[in-house]
Amino acid sequence: MTTPSPQAVPTYRLSQLAAMVAGRLAGPADPVITGIADLATAQEGQISFVTTEKYLADLAASKATAVLVRPDMRVERPAIEVERPDLAWAALLDVFAPPLPHPQPGVHPSAVVETQLDPSVAVGAHACIGPRTRIGANTVIHPNVTIGPDVQIGRDGVIWPGVVIRERVTIGDRVIIHPNAAIGADGFGYNLIDGRHRKIAHIGTVVIEDDVEIGACSCVDRAKAGATVIGHGTKIDNQVQIAHNVRIGPHSVLAAQSGIAGSSTLGRYVVLAGKAGVSDHLTVGDGVRGAAGCSICKSLPPGAMVSGLMAYDHRQYLRHHALVRRLPELAEKVQELSNELYELRQAIHDRK
Amino acid sequence: MTTPSPQAVPTYRLSQLAAMVAGRLAGPADPVITGIADLATAQEGQISFVTTEKYLADLAASKATAVLVRPDMRVERPAIEVERPDLAWAALLDVFAPPLPHPQPGVHPSAVVETQLDPSVAVGAHACIGPRTRIGANTVIHPNVTIGPDVQIGRDGVIWPGVVIRERVTIGDRVIIHPNAAIGADGFGYNLIDGRHRKIAHIGTVVIEDDVEIGACSCVDRAKAGATVIGHGTKIDNQVQIAHNVRIGPHSVLAAQSGIAGSSTLGRYVVLAGKAGVSDHLTVGDGVRGAAGCSICKSLPPGAMVSGLMAYDHRQYLRHHALVRRLPELAEKVQELSNELYELRQAIHDRK
Amino acid sequence: MTTPSPQAVPTYRLSQLAAMVAGRLAGPADPVITGIADLATAQEGQISFVTTEKYLADLAASKATAVLVRPDMRVERPAIEVERPDLAWAALLDVFAPPLPHPQPGVHPSAVVETQLDPSVAVGAHACIGPRTRIGANTVIHPNVTIGPDVQIGRDGVIWPGVVIRERVTIGDRVIIHPNAAIGADGFGYNLIDGRHRKIAHIGTVVIEDDVEIGACSCVDRAKAGATVIGHGTKIDNQVQIAHNVRIGPHSVLAAQSGIAGSSTLGRYVVLAGKAGVSDHLTVGDGVRGAAGCSICKSLPPGAMVSGLMAYDHRQYLRHHALVRRLPELAEKVQELSNELYELRQAIHDRK
């Protein structure tokens, strides 16, 4: 592994950074900026950002030397004015990013590589790559990765340490797979015959399209037949489970610890919050949003926003949730009505 | 790793396949079959299956050259009639399965093996196996696996890459452990003394009986004393957590992301759906079924079927869930009754 | 790896054990004790414990040769009387614990270590350690661990097999990280620009303070800028997800499969039960307790105890939960009231 010494910190004038983000230098000076941070943790010499007025108080308490703001904001300290301070700040994260600690191009002598690789591919120590596997230019395979035979990986990808990719998996360009993820393990399928769970062979594979990112300790199982598919541009967080024969459309986002059961299909731009679940054999439409911890157990039309176990419409869920919290009052009111009705009947009876 | 070239695709006449599954050739021809798929993804030359009439429309749209059907079904294309098309299809998955990419028998020169192994055992590159560990005939240890000392593993097992098995664990015959699972890590137990969590030594072990399968990134922790036990034939999916001193009976099925807290006991043929949880020190009877996302927090008698956080009877849960969704009506009706009662009293009062 | 043969079982007189735990020998004899177990699994020669009278029946059925009890308990078999039998039993677990199977001090010849290490540090087979990384005295790095460059790890730590620690992470003294955990992976953050999720660089790091323990397959992501922080003495179970920029105070306890979303802050002595979740950008006060499967989606004051999806006060939650289960009765009662009111109006009407 190679990284330049961390002492080599980049420094810029604020005006240089303003030019990089197409912003306007504002405020009292053009200081030297040596780092980037959020408001709470920023130190002297660092640049932070404010998106809305409500954070101006936090800015006042921040040690940040400079700040990215909207053009309509007035602040006392050195600033860059841009329409989207949050995006400009993200762009500056790239500017200040230390280089990633990738292995050098070429194969580390301790790696066990049973295929021919382009010289631009980097393979770290103790990585194992099976026969007939093809890896595109500039892709980085970190130490202790295991890749089976007949795998295809595109160019400009990064496979972090400890990842396992089993045989015949296909992975596109610019794919990033984080530590200890498992791609292409057998799906979970059995037939119960004479009281025993007989394993169903999973002879299919996994297809991960371009620009996908898969989080640490996440799992994408191979299909029974055909392929489990992760559409291009979809981003998957840590500890996410994608079962056999699932198909996820492009540009979806699955937060940590979410899970999709076998053979379900998700559309484009689906967003699942943390710990959301989708049962098997469902169709989840484009742009569906599932709240944290929801359990989707029926198919959903495009654009639905759902919450809860046995998830349904989020706004209805909120309304019902609020009513559940008022159940003590409701039960009491029913008891009062019952009492009043009783008294009224007594009164009428007595009057007879 | 060795696999035959993927080009060597098996081909069969449909009549040959019919004989393999004890089915009857039906339909207009005896075509050559070169693969297997589900209806939606099948290509020309492939065989698929239909279990019930409702999928006949999907069959009509499928490119499958042949299909497995029930004897009472009438279809236009080449077919095999069998009582259970789904089981026959699973059997044909085995027929078309490419060989698994296992390391060759013997120890890869890069592996670090501190024990004597049967020559039929296969140990992949960079695997580490500790002293006094014993492994049965034909078991396969994939690359980058780490197995501690004094472990026992039975015969005909498969330990996929990245798995960690700590010291003194006992594993039966025909056990499959998927990538990056962790077997025998310390249980999670502390005593809070003077404001600090003091670690409790976990000196026990893990016993995994015959024919168990454990999913990718799943964890089975070792016992404080004694053993955490996974009963024979039990199947565990990906990202499942089995805490210290748990005992799971035979033939149970735990779907992905389910978790069992410390010292709980599950019976035989228990089925937990995805993300189901079981609290500590509970007894879950034979054949209990827990729905997706349920949280079992009291012991359950055999055969119970439960749902929900603080899980209870599934049918009751469905009924209550439906009533929660009708709370707006109920609250409105109570308000109406209140209004009517008020009016009635007014009317009576006015009449006096 | 080295361990003494497991045959070398320690044996003690019960009186010796009593001295070790500052207890009083009681009962009919001073037997030889060769092991330790819970009541249910104890064998002859082993010592177990009883904390309350309700377990005396289990004791009667136990094969344990001796038992730890409270001084006010009267039992028939050889015993040690101590105020806290549970703590004394935990202390005896340490006494009977076999030595952990750590690699020898020094670097295994197959490890790839690009930095200078103290000779007391143990590095197992196939471990990879990057340049400029510093590791304190007596720390143990197990086989197949990958540690990036510029990492700092304190003394007396244990990093179990398969763990991945990325560049620039800082880890304190006496930290234990269990198999296949991932420390310092990129946080999950994107900006949606022109329909595509653009990756936000995560240039920050992770700080794990002294005496922290992190479970198997758990993930702690690096910060966008600054650091994700795990406070000293905090204990994290298996398959827990800690997102970028989270800050957890000292002495907190996070049970298995819990997860904290980005930028949330947890106080001191927070306890999350299994599968509990915390949404992003929240503040969870000191001593908060979250029940199993709860989903905390707003900030909580110190000492709160919460349950449920959209978690709120645990006692209220229990009350509402009980009322939900009585909704069928409530709905019926409302219907009866409606009927009675109708009849009453009819009666009044008829009387006119």
Side-chain angles (χ1 to χ4, degrees):
Chain A
M1 278 168 276
T2 58
T3 19
S5 164
Q7 282 77 28
V9 173
T11 63
Y12 298 94
R13 286 272 163 198
L14 186 59
S15 52
Q16 293 176 287
L17 299 178
M20 290 176 191
V21 299
R24 200 183 73 84
L25 186 67
D30 186 14
V32 169
I33 302 298
T34 58
I36 184 164
D38 55 29
L39 285 178
T41 64
Q43 300 300 314
E44 207 180 304
Q46 297 187 324
I47 186 164
S48 189
F49 76 106
V50 175
T51 46
T52 65
E53 276 75 6
K54 74 171 173 176
Y55 293 113
L56 290 179
D58 293 342
L59 175 59
S62 174
K63 293 185 192 150
T65 290
V67 65
L68 293 146
V69 295
R70 291 205 321 264
D72 59 311
M73 287 172 163
R74 284 293 159 264
V75 296
E76 307 274 306
R77 77 185 76 191
I80 298 172
E81 295 176 357
V82 278
E83 290 301 322
R84 287 287 301 270
D86 55 332
L87 299 187
W89 188 77
L92 293 185
L93 282 172
D94 286 331
V95 170
F96 285 97
L100 287 169
H102 292 328
Q104 300 275 24
V107 175
H108 191 279
S110 69
V112 175
V113 177
E114 303 177 59
T115 185
Q116 201 64 36
L117 296 175
D118 185 280
S120 69
V121 172
V123 179
H126 301 312
C128 299
I129 303 179
R132 294 174 307 280
T133 284
R134 291 187 296 180
I135 301 181
N138 305 317
T139 286
V140 174
I141 310 298
H142 272 266
N144 284 322
V145 164
T146 310
I147 300 176
D150 302 305
V151 170
Q152 294 196 41
I153 302 179
R155 55 181 302 152
D156 300 313
V158 181
I159 312 297
W160 288 98
V163 168
V164 176
I165 301 172
R166 274 186 47 186
E167 71 278 11
R168 291 186 286 118
V169 164
T170 298
I171 295 177
D173 294 337
R174 295 172 302 281
V175 168
I176 302 171
I177 306 183
H178 291 281
N180 289 338
I183 313 298
D186 292 350
F188 191 68
Y190 304 88
N191 284 310
L192 186 60
I193 300 175
D194 297 333
R196 302 191 158 240
H197 302 289
R198 302 298 172 98
K199 184 174 177 64
I200 300 174
H202 279 67
I203 73 171
T205 184
V206 171
V207 174
I208 296 177
E209 296 180 355
D210 295 344
D211 297 302
V212 166
E213 194 165 340
I214 293 181
C217 297
S218 284
C219 303
V220 183
D221 279 356
R222 68 195 314 117
K224 278 182 189 167
T228 304
V229 179
I230 313 292
H232 62 90
T234 282
K235 308 299 184 184
I236 294 179
D237 199 352
N238 297 343
Q239 299 171 352
V240 172
Q241 153 73 353
I242 309 294
H244 60 93
N245 293 83
V246 164
R247 303 182 79 88
I248 302 181
H251 307 302
S252 289
V253 173
L254 278 65
Q257 301 178 324
S258 56
I260 318 292
S263 299
S264 280
T265 298
L266 275 64
R268 305 160 62 87
Y269 293 102
V270 170
V271 177
L272 295 184
K275 295 180 184 294
V278 176
S279 294
D280 57 298
H281 291 91
L282 302 183
T283 300
V284 174
D286 293 348
V288 164
R289 302 172 75 91
C294 76
S295 184
I296 296 174
C297 47
K298 58 176 191 181
S299 292
L300 292 172
M305 187 172 168
V306 299
S307 291
L309 285 184
M310 303 182 63
Y312 60 96
D313 179 70
H314 178 67
R315 268 176 300 192
Q316 277 194 57
Y317 179 83
L318 289 183
R319 188 177 175 204
H320 300 157
H321 182 78
L323 285 170
V324 164
R325 297 187 61 169
R326 272 158 44 200
L327 271 178
E329 296 167 45
L330 187 67
E332 199 177 337
K333 188 164 181 181
V334 169
Q335 188 54 49
E336 279 168 22
L337 285 179
S338 177
N339 295 345
E340 288 173 19
L341 189 58
Y342 177 81
E343 285 162 22
L344 187 58
R345 292 167 78 170
Q346 287 302 112
I348 290 169
H349 184 266
D350 292 349
R351 236 195 294 166
K352 277 183 198 165
Chain B
M1 279 168 278
T2 57
T3 19
S5 164
Q7 281 78 28
V9 173
T11 63
Y12 299 92
R13 286 273 165 197
L14 186 60
S15 52
Q16 293 177 288
L17 299 178
M20 290 176 192
V21 299
R24 199 182 75 84
L25 185 67
D30 186 16
V32 169
I33 302 299
T34 58
I36 182 165
D38 55 29
L39 285 178
T41 63
Q43 299 301 314
E44 206 180 306
Q46 297 186 324
I47 185 164
S48 189
F49 76 105
V50 175
T51 47
T52 65
E53 275 74 7
K54 72 172 174 176
Y55 293 113
L56 290 179
D58 294 341
L59 175 59
S62 173
K63 292 185 192 148
T65 289
V67 64
L68 293 146
V69 295
R70 290 204 322 264
D72 58 310
M73 287 172 162
R74 286 292 159 264
V75 296
E76 307 274 306
R77 77 185 75 189
I80 298 172
E81 294 177 357
V82 279
E83 290 301 323
R84 287 285 302 270
D86 55 335
L87 300 186
W89 188 77
L92 293 185
L93 283 171
D94 286 331
V95 170
F96 285 97
L100 287 168
H102 293 328
Q104 300 275 27
V107 175
H108 191 278
S110 70
V112 175
V113 176
E114 303 176 60
T115 186
Q116 201 64 35
L117 295 175
D118 185 280
S120 68
V121 172
V123 179
H126 301 312
C128 299
I129 302 179
R132 294 175 305 279
T133 285
R134 291 187 295 181
I135 301 180
N138 305 317
T139 286
V140 174
I141 310 297
H142 270 267
N144 285 321
V145 164
T146 310
I147 300 176
D150 301 305
V151 170
Q152 294 195 39
I153 302 179
R155 56 181 302 153
D156 299 313
V158 181
I159 312 296
W160 286 99
V163 168
V164 176
I165 301 172
R166 274 187 46 186
E167 72 277 11
R168 291 186 287 118
V169 165
T170 299
I171 295 176
D173 294 337
R174 296 172 302 280
V175 168
I176 302 171
I177 306 183
H178 290 282
N180 289 338
I183 312 299
D186 292 352
F188 191 67
Y190 303 89
N191 285 311
L192 186 60
I193 300 175
D194 297 334
R196 301 189 158 240
H197 302 290
R198 303 297 173 99
K199 184 174 177 65
I200 300 174
H202 280 67
I203 73 172
T205 184
V206 171
V207 174
I208 295 177
E209 296 180 356
D210 295 343
D211 297 301
V212 166
E213 194 164 341
I214 293 181
C217 296
S218 284
C219 302
V220 183
D221 280 356
R222 67 195 314 118
K224 279 183 188 168
T228 305
V229 180
I230 313 293
H232 62 90
T234 282
K235 308 298 184 184
I236 295 179
D237 199 353
N238 297 344
Q239 298 170 353
V240 172
Q241 153 72 356
I242 309 294
H244 60 92
N245 293 83
V246 164
R247 303 180 79 87
I248 302 181
H251 307 302
S252 289
V253 173
L254 279 64
Q257 300 179 323
S258 56
I260 318 292
S263 298
S264 280
T265 298
L266 274 66
R268 305 159 62 85
Y269 294 101
V270 170
V271 178
L272 296 183
K275 294 180 184 293
V278 176
S279 294
D280 57 297
H281 290 92
L282 301 182
T283 300
V284 173
D286 293 348
V288 164
R289 302 173 75 92
C294 77
S295 183
I296 294 174
C297 47
K298 58 177 192 181
S299 291
L300 291 173
M305 187 171 167
V306 298
S307 290
L309 285 184
M310 304 183 61
Y312 61 96
D313 179 70
H314 178 66
R315 268 176 300 191
Q316 277 194 56
Y317 178 83
L318 290 183
R319 187 177 175 205
H320 300 156
H321 182 78
L323 285 169
V324 165
R325 297 187 63 168
R326 272 157 44 198
L327 272 177
E329 296 167 44
L330 187 67
E332 199 176 338
K333 187 163 182 181
V334 169
Q335 189 53 49
E336 280 169 20
L337 285 179
S338 176
N339 295 345
E340 288 174 18
L341 189 58
Y342 177 81
E343 284 164 23
L344 187 57
R345 293 167 77 170
Q346 286 303 112
I348 291 168
H349 185 265
D350 292 350
R351 234 194 298 165
K352 277 183 197 168
Chain C
M1 279 170 275
T2 56
T3 20
S5 164
Q7 281 76 29
V9 174
T11 64
Y12 299 93
R13 287 272 164 198
L14 186 59
S15 52
Q16 292 176 289
L17 299 178
M20 289 176 192
V21 299
R24 199 183 75 84
L25 186 67
D30 185 15
V32 169
I33 303 298
T34 57
I36 183 164
D38 55 29
L39 286 178
T41 64
Q43 298 301 314
E44 207 181 303
Q46 296 187 323
I47 185 164
S48 189
F49 75 105
V50 175
T51 47
T52 65
E53 276 74 8
K54 73 171 174 177
Y55 292 113
L56 289 179
D58 293 341
L59 174 59
S62 174
K63 293 185 192 150
T65 290
V67 65
L68 293 146
V69 294
R70 290 205 322 265
D72 59 311
M73 286 172 163
R74 285 292 158 266
V75 296
E76 306 273 306
R77 77 185 75 192
I80 298 172
E81 294 177 357
V82 279
E83 290 300 323
R84 288 285 302 268
D86 55 335
L87 300 187
W89 188 77
L92 293 185
L93 283 172
D94 286 331
V95 170
F96 285 97
L100 287 168
H102 292 328
Q104 302 275 25
V107 175
H108 191 280
S110 68
V112 175
V113 176
E114 303 178 60
T115 185
Q116 201 64 35
L117 295 175
D118 185 279
S120 68
V121 172
V123 179
H126 301 312
C128 299
I129 303 179
R132 293 175 307 281
T133 285
R134 290 187 296 182
I135 300 180
N138 305 317
T139 286
V140 174
I141 310 297
H142 271 266
N144 284 321
V145 164
T146 310
I147 301 177
D150 301 306
V151 170
Q152 294 196 40
I153 301 179
R155 56 181 302 153
D156 299 313
V158 181
I159 312 297
W160 287 100
V163 168
V164 176
I165 301 172
R166 274 187 46 187
E167 70 279 11
R168 291 186 286 117
V169 164
T170 298
I171 295 176
D173 294 337
R174 296 172 301 280
V175 168
I176 302 170
I177 306 183
H178 290 281
N180 289 337
I183 313 297
D186 292 351
F188 192 67
Y190 304 87
N191 284 311
L192 186 60
I193 300 175
D194 298 334
R196 301 189 158 240
H197 302 290
R198 302 298 173 99
K199 183 173 177 66
I200 301 174
H202 279 66
I203 74 172
T205 184
V206 171
V207 174
I208 295 177
E209 297 180 355
D210 294 343
D211 298 301
V212 166
E213 194 164 340
I214 293 181
C217 296
S218 284
C219 302
V220 183
D221 279 357
R222 66 195 315 118
K224 278 182 189 167
T228 305
V229 180
I230 312 294
H232 62 89
T234 283
K235 308 299 184 184
I236 294 179
D237 199 354
N238 297 343
Q239 299 171 351
V240 172
Q241 152 72 354
I242 310 293
H244 60 93
N245 293 84
V246 164
R247 303 181 79 87
I248 302 180
H251 307 302
S252 289
V253 172
L254 278 65
Q257 301 179 323
S258 56
I260 318 291
S263 299
S264 281
T265 298
L266 275 65
R268 305 159 63 86
Y269 294 101
V270 170
V271 178
L272 295 184
K275 295 180 183 293
V278 176
S279 294
D280 57 298
H281 290 91
L282 301 183
T283 300
V284 173
D286 293 348
V288 164
R289 301 172 78 91
C294 76
S295 184
I296 295 174
C297 47
K298 59 177 191 180
S299 291
L300 292 173
M305 187 172 167
V306 299
S307 291
L309 284 184
M310 304 183 62
Y312 61 96
D313 179 71
H314 177 67
R315 267 175 300 191
Q316 277 194 57
Y317 178 82
L318 289 183
R319 188 177 174 205
H320 300 156
H321 181 79
L323 285 169
V324 165
R325 297 186 61 168
R326 272 158 43 200
L327 272 178
E329 295 167 43
L330 187 67
E332 199 177 337
K333 187 163 183 182
V334 170
Q335 189 53 50
E336 280 168 19
L337 286 178
S338 177
N339 295 345
E340 288 173 18
L341 189 58
Y342 176 81
E343 284 163 23
L344 188 57
R345 293 168 76 169
Q346 287 302 114
I348 291 169
H349 185 265
D350 293 349
R351 236 194 296 166
K352 276 183 199 165

